[in-house]
């Protein structure tokens, strides 16, 4: 039986959660951050080595200025409020994607948090910010090409996730069944789990259940 080491989540459904309650979309994202907080704690308690969360895609810039502003504000508040807990709980923060395109104050907060948690060896929390998988692969291939012959290994070594354990399980909430340019390379052998729960309603119990299902599935890695 294999235990999942690295789980990634496409946190979808914040807008629908808010709409169902006649609330602004930003309220769905706010509730979504509460779910993030609980799930990060659970990831640590469940012994995951890495949890990767899709927080902001390269496509999300197409959303309204108001919604983008709300998301940035929530990310800032999240780092400010939760950094001490990460530091105390041996959680290492990592960012995948080109976060330097974000406002300078958020970039500064992110870099402070990266530095402060760099020595932590418990669970790695990788947050995907301004992330797109095709963009990541293109950047990695460019770097690999500058260093000699290109192979899957030389590309993997240049991906934003380099050094993280292989992705075991990819979860998407809210009933949508697509990858939306998330971890396309890393998902090559990952199990996929699509759940109907909207992200703000996703709980540590849902994560624990997903991990149990993962253990129950037979993994063949393309062999027999
Ligand atoms: C998808 O829901 C969710 C997002 C685009 C943003 C996810 C961000 C958070 C949960 C908060 C910030 C994260 C951190 C790590 C602090 P949607 O708006 O596309 O929902 P919809 O499909 O129902 O409209």
């Amino acid at each position: 039986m294999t235990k999942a080491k690295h789980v990634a989540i496409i946190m979808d459904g914040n807008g629908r959660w808010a709409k169902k309650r006649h609330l602004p979309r930003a309220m769905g994202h706010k509730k979504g951050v509460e779910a993030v907080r609980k799930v990060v704690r659970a990831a640590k308690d469940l012994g995951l080595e890495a949890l990767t969360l899709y927080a902001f895609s390269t496509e999300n810039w197409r959303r309204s200025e108001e919604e983008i502003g709300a998301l940035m504000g929530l990310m800032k508040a999240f780092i400010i409020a939760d950094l001490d807990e990460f530091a105390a709980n041996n959680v290492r923060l990592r960012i995948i994607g080109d976060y330097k395109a974000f406002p300078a104050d958020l970039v500064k907060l992110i870099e402070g948090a990266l530095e402060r948690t760099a020595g932590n060896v418990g669970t790695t929390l990788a947050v995907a910010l301004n992330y797109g998988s095709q963009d990541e692969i293109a950047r990695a291939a460019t770097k690999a090409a500058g260093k000699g012959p290109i192979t899957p290994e030389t590309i993997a070594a240049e991906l934003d996730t380099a050094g993280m354990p292989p992705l075991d399980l990819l979860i998407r909430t809210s009933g949508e069944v697509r990858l939306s340019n998330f971890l396309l390379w890393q998902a090559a052998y990952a199990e996929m789990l699509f759940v109907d729960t909207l992200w703000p309603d996703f709980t540590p119990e849902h994560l624990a259940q997903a991990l149990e299902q993962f253990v129950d599935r037979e993994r063949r890695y393309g062999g027999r």
Side-chain angles (χ1 to χ4, degrees):
M1 293 217 292
T2 333
K3 195 168 167 282
K5 288 184 181 161
H6 183 182
V7 174
I9 309 180
I10 301 177
M11 309 181 289
D12 198 8
N14 295 349
R16 275 163 284 164
W17 185 93
K19 194 171 180 200
K20 274 199 340 201
R21 289 162 179 78
H22 308 284
L23 293 168
R25 293 179 59 81
M27 288 304 291
H29 295 315
K30 187 159 185 256
K31 193 78 187 165
V33 176
E34 287 172 29
V36 167
R37 188 166 281 134
K38 291 183 197 147
V39 165
V40 172
R41 283 185 194 138
K44 179 191 74 78
D45 294 342
L46 291 162
L48 282 185
E49 280 181 33
L51 175 70
T52 301
L53 299 177
Y54 206 1
F56 196 92
S57 73
T58 44
E59 288 75 34
N60 285 152
W61 294 109
R62 292 192 212 126
R63 297 198 175 193
S64 73
E65 219 172 287
E66 189 189 346
E67 186 172 352
I68 293 173
L71 281 166
M72 303 281 155
L74 284 168
M75 283 176 217
K76 271 187 233 169
F78 175 70
I79 296 177
I80 292 169
D82 289 54
L83 185 56
D84 285 344
E85 186 175 328
F86 294 164
N89 286 338
N90 208 10
V91 172
R92 178 178 183 174
L93 181 70
R94 193 169 166 148
I95 303 293
I96 61 168
D98 183 13
Y99 68 90
K100 292 195 176 155
F102 280 180
D105 54 345
L106 179 52
V107 170
K108 208 170 152 200
L109 267 176
I110 290 170
E111 290 181 342
L114 292 174
E115 219 171 279
R116 178 142 172 231
T117 63
N120 291 351
V121 294
T123 305
T124 292
L125 169 64
V127 181
L129 293 179
N130 191 24
Y131 175 87
S133 193
Q134 292 177 342
D135 171 67
E136 178 196 28
I137 295 167
R139 285 188 283 109
T142 306
K143 283 194 216 154
K147 296 181 180 171
I150 297 186
T151 66
E153 290 73 27
T154 65
I155 291 183
E158 303 294 347
L159 292 172
D160 296 349
T161 52
M164 290 177 72
L167 181 63
D168 296 304
L169 175 64
L170 177 66
I171 303 172
R172 182 172 188 145
T173 60
S174 92
E176 308 288 345
V177 184
R178 54 179 181 272
L179 293 182
S180 299
N181 203 14
F182 189 52
L183 302 180
L184 302 180
W185 182 287
Q186 295 84 344
Y189 293 103
E191 297 280 342
M192 312 264 168
L193 185 64
F194 297 92
V195 296
D196 288 335
T197 314
L198 301 176
W199 175 251
D201 293 325
F202 193 88
T203 62
E205 289 70 40
H206 288 109
L207 178 64
Q209 257 173 34
L211 292 177
E212 273 167 36
Q213 281 188 39
F214 172 84
V215 171
D216 289 342
R217 291 188 196 178
E218 202 180 13
R219 308 184 75 209
R220 293 185 195 273
Y221 283 105
R224 288 207 61 82

